[in-house]
PDB file of all heavy atoms in Angstrom:
ATOM      1  N   THR A  13       7.003 -12.259   2.990  1.00  0.00           N
ATOM      2  CA  THR A  13       7.890 -12.889   2.015  1.00  0.00           C
ATOM      3  C   THR A  13       8.150 -11.974   0.825  1.00  0.00           C
ATOM      4  O   THR A  13       9.193 -12.071   0.195  1.00  0.00           O
ATOM      5  CB  THR A  13       7.308 -14.229   1.503  1.00  0.00           C
ATOM      6  OG1 THR A  13       6.005 -13.992   0.989  1.00  0.00           O
ATOM      7  CG2 THR A  13       7.247 -15.259   2.609  1.00  0.00           C
ATOM      8  N   ALA A  14       7.217 -11.057   0.526  1.00  0.00           N
ATOM      9  CA  ALA A  14       7.342 -10.226  -0.674  1.00  0.00           C
ATOM     10  C   ALA A  14       7.649  -8.764  -0.415  1.00  0.00           C
ATOM     11  O   ALA A  14       8.093  -8.067  -1.325  1.00  0.00           O
ATOM     12  CB  ALA A  14       6.052 -10.312  -1.496  1.00  0.00           C
ATOM     13  N   VAL A  29       8.239  -3.371  -1.943  1.00  0.00           N
ATOM     14  CA  VAL A  29       8.329  -4.707  -2.524  1.00  0.00           C
ATOM     15  C   VAL A  29       9.802  -5.090  -2.627  1.00  0.00           C
ATOM     16  O   VAL A  29      10.635  -4.289  -3.064  1.00  0.00           O
ATOM     17  CB  VAL A  29       7.644  -4.755  -3.911  1.00  0.00           C
ATOM     18  CG1 VAL A  29       7.746  -6.146  -4.512  1.00  0.00           C
ATOM     19  CG2 VAL A  29       6.180  -4.324  -3.795  1.00  0.00           C
ATOM     20  N   LYS A  30      10.109  -6.306  -2.216  1.00  0.00           N
ATOM     21  CA  LYS A  30      11.490  -6.796  -2.234  1.00  0.00           C
ATOM     22  C   LYS A  30      11.955  -7.038  -3.673  1.00  0.00           C
ATOM     23  O   LYS A  30      11.149  -7.284  -4.566  1.00  0.00           O
ATOM     24  CB  LYS A  30      11.601  -8.072  -1.406  1.00  0.00           C
ATOM     25  CG  LYS A  30      11.313  -7.820   0.073  1.00  0.00           C
ATOM     26  CD  LYS A  30      11.336  -9.091   0.882  1.00  0.00           C
ATOM     27  CE  LYS A  30      11.013  -8.787   2.338  1.00  0.00           C
ATOM     28  NZ  LYS A  30      10.936 -10.004   3.156  1.00  0.00           N
ATOM     29  N   ALA A  31      13.248  -6.981  -3.878  1.00  0.00           N
ATOM     30  CA  ALA A  31      13.840  -7.117  -5.207  1.00  0.00           C
ATOM     31  C   ALA A  31      13.525  -8.471  -5.838  1.00  0.00           C
ATOM     32  O   ALA A  31      13.624  -9.509  -5.194  1.00  0.00           O
ATOM     33  CB  ALA A  31      15.352  -6.926  -5.124  1.00  0.00           C
ATOM     34  N   GLY A  32      13.120  -8.422  -7.118  1.00  0.00           N
ATOM     35  CA  GLY A  32      12.912  -9.632  -7.896  1.00  0.00           C
ATOM     36  C   GLY A  32      11.674 -10.433  -7.557  1.00  0.00           C
ATOM     37  O   GLY A  32      11.531 -11.575  -7.994  1.00  0.00           O
ATOM     38  N   VAL A  33      10.762  -9.843  -6.810  1.00  0.00           N
ATOM     39  CA  VAL A  33       9.564 -10.570  -6.379  1.00  0.00           C
ATOM     40  C   VAL A  33       8.549 -10.678  -7.509  1.00  0.00           C
ATOM     41  O   VAL A  33       8.325  -9.733  -8.252  1.00  0.00           O
ATOM     42  CB  VAL A  33       8.929  -9.880  -5.147  1.00  0.00           C
ATOM     43  CG1 VAL A  33       7.526 -10.396  -4.871  1.00  0.00           C
ATOM     44  CG2 VAL A  33       9.808 -10.062  -3.933  1.00  0.00           C
ATOM     45  N   ASP A  34       7.946 -11.866  -7.613  1.00  0.00           N
ATOM     46  CA  ASP A  34       6.794 -12.091  -8.478  1.00  0.00           C
ATOM     47  C   ASP A  34       5.580 -12.033  -7.551  1.00  0.00           C
ATOM     48  O   ASP A  34       5.334 -12.988  -6.809  1.00  0.00           O
ATOM     49  CB  ASP A  34       6.871 -13.464  -9.158  1.00  0.00           C
ATOM     50  CG  ASP A  34       8.038 -13.569 -10.122  1.00  0.00           C
ATOM     51  OD1 ASP A  34       8.171 -12.668 -10.971  1.00  0.00           O
ATOM     52  OD2 ASP A  34       8.813 -14.533 -10.021  1.00  0.00           O
ATOM     53  N   LEU A  35       4.860 -10.919  -7.573  1.00  0.00           N
ATOM     54  CA  LEU A  35       3.720 -10.751  -6.669  1.00  0.00           C
ATOM     55  C   LEU A  35       2.543 -11.577  -7.167  1.00  0.00           C
ATOM     56  O   LEU A  35       2.012 -11.330  -8.243  1.00  0.00           O
ATOM     57  CB  LEU A  35       3.303  -9.286  -6.585  1.00  0.00           C
ATOM     58  CG  LEU A  35       4.136  -8.405  -5.689  1.00  0.00           C
ATOM     59  CD1 LEU A  35       3.707  -6.947  -5.827  1.00  0.00           C
ATOM     60  CD2 LEU A  35       4.033  -8.833  -4.247  1.00  0.00           C
ATOM     61  N   ALA A  61       7.360   0.002  -5.900  1.00  0.00           N
ATOM     62  CA  ALA A  61       7.329  -1.138  -6.827  1.00  0.00           C
ATOM     63  C   ALA A  61       8.526  -1.121  -7.770  1.00  0.00           C
ATOM     64  O   ALA A  61       8.515  -1.800  -8.798  1.00  0.00           O
ATOM     65  CB  ALA A  61       6.028  -1.113  -7.622  1.00  0.00           C
ATOM     66  N   ARG A  62       9.561  -0.380  -7.418  1.00  0.00           N
ATOM     67  CA  ARG A  62      10.696  -0.209  -8.331  1.00  0.00           C
ATOM     68  C   ARG A  62      11.453  -1.497  -8.597  1.00  0.00           C
ATOM     69  O   ARG A  62      12.092  -1.623  -9.638  1.00  0.00           O
ATOM     70  CB  ARG A  62      11.647   0.855  -7.784  1.00  0.00           C
ATOM     71  CG  ARG A  62      11.025   2.242  -7.784  1.00  0.00           C
ATOM     72  CD  ARG A  62      11.928   3.286  -7.209  1.00  0.00           C
ATOM     73  NE  ARG A  62      11.990   3.137  -5.752  1.00  0.00           N
ATOM     74  CZ  ARG A  62      12.484   4.063  -4.945  1.00  0.00           C
ATOM     75  NH1 ARG A  62      12.993   5.180  -5.440  1.00  0.00           N
ATOM     76  NH2 ARG A  62      12.496   3.869  -3.646  1.00  0.00           N
ATOM     77  N   ARG A  63      11.377  -2.470  -7.681  1.00  0.00           N
ATOM     78  CA  ARG A  63      12.170  -3.682  -7.858  1.00  0.00           C
ATOM     79  C   ARG A  63      11.325  -4.927  -8.105  1.00  0.00           C
ATOM     80  O   ARG A  63      11.842  -6.032  -8.123  1.00  0.00           O
ATOM     81  CB  ARG A  63      13.075  -3.873  -6.642  1.00  0.00           C
ATOM     82  CG  ARG A  63      13.997  -2.677  -6.462  1.00  0.00           C
ATOM     83  CD  ARG A  63      14.987  -2.808  -5.345  1.00  0.00           C
ATOM     84  NE  ARG A  63      14.348  -3.095  -4.062  1.00  0.00           N
ATOM     85  CZ  ARG A  63      15.002  -3.514  -2.985  1.00  0.00           C
ATOM     86  NH1 ARG A  63      16.283  -3.686  -3.022  1.00  0.00           N
ATOM     87  NH2 ARG A  63      14.357  -3.740  -1.868  1.00  0.00           N
ATOM     88  N   VAL A  64      10.022  -4.753  -8.314  1.00  0.00           N
ATOM     89  CA  VAL A  64       9.147  -5.900  -8.565  1.00  0.00           C
ATOM     90  C   VAL A  64       9.465  -6.506  -9.934  1.00  0.00           C
ATOM     91  O   VAL A  64       9.808  -5.795 -10.869  1.00  0.00           O
ATOM     92  CB  VAL A  64       7.653  -5.481  -8.471  1.00  0.00           C
ATOM     93  CG1 VAL A  64       7.261  -4.570  -9.609  1.00  0.00           C
ATOM     94  CG2 VAL A  64       6.744  -6.690  -8.422  1.00  0.00           C
ATOM     95  N   ARG A  65       9.367  -7.832 -10.026  1.00  0.00           N
ATOM     96  CA  ARG A  65       9.623  -8.491 -11.303  1.00  0.00           C
ATOM     97  C   ARG A  65       8.335  -8.707 -12.082  1.00  0.00           C
ATOM     98  O   ARG A  65       8.284  -8.537 -13.298  1.00  0.00           O
ATOM     99  CB  ARG A  65      10.343  -9.822 -11.093  1.00  0.00           C
ATOM    100  CG  ARG A  65      10.734 -10.461 -12.407  1.00  0.00           C
ATOM    101  CD  ARG A  65      11.682 -11.603 -12.282  1.00  0.00           C
ATOM    102  NE  ARG A  65      11.192 -12.610 -11.363  1.00  0.00           N
ATOM    103  CZ  ARG A  65      11.918 -13.642 -10.963  1.00  0.00           C
ATOM    104  NH1 ARG A  65      13.141 -13.803 -11.405  1.00  0.00           N
ATOM    105  NH2 ARG A  65      11.426 -14.526 -10.124  1.00  0.00           N
ATOM    106  N   SER A  66       7.273  -9.100 -11.370  1.00  0.00           N
ATOM    107  CA  SER A  66       5.984  -9.298 -12.027  1.00  0.00           C
ATOM    108  C   SER A  66       4.882  -9.233 -10.985  1.00  0.00           C
ATOM    109  O   SER A  66       5.143  -9.306  -9.783  1.00  0.00           O
ATOM    110  CB  SER A  66       5.929 -10.647 -12.763  1.00  0.00           C
ATOM    111  OG  SER A  66       5.927 -11.707 -11.829  1.00  0.00           O
ATOM    112  N   MET A  67       3.634  -9.093 -11.461  1.00  0.00           N
ATOM    113  CA  MET A  67       2.480  -9.069 -10.574  1.00  0.00           C
ATOM    114  C   MET A  67       1.307  -9.692 -11.312  1.00  0.00           C
ATOM    115  O   MET A  67       0.976  -9.270 -12.424  1.00  0.00           O
ATOM    116  CB  MET A  67       2.147  -7.644 -10.147  1.00  0.00           C
ATOM    117  CG  MET A  67       1.023  -7.541  -9.151  1.00  0.00           C
ATOM    118  SD  MET A  67       0.854  -5.837  -8.576  1.00  0.00           S
ATOM    119  CE  MET A  67      -0.394  -6.030  -7.324  1.00  0.00           C
TER     120      MET A  67
END
Side-chain angles (χ1 to χ4, degrees):
T13 55
V29 180
K30 295 176 181 176
V33 167
D34 295 309
L35 281 174
R62 293 178 286 194
R63 301 184 305 166
V64 69
R65 185 168 54 188
S66 69
M67 184 173 185

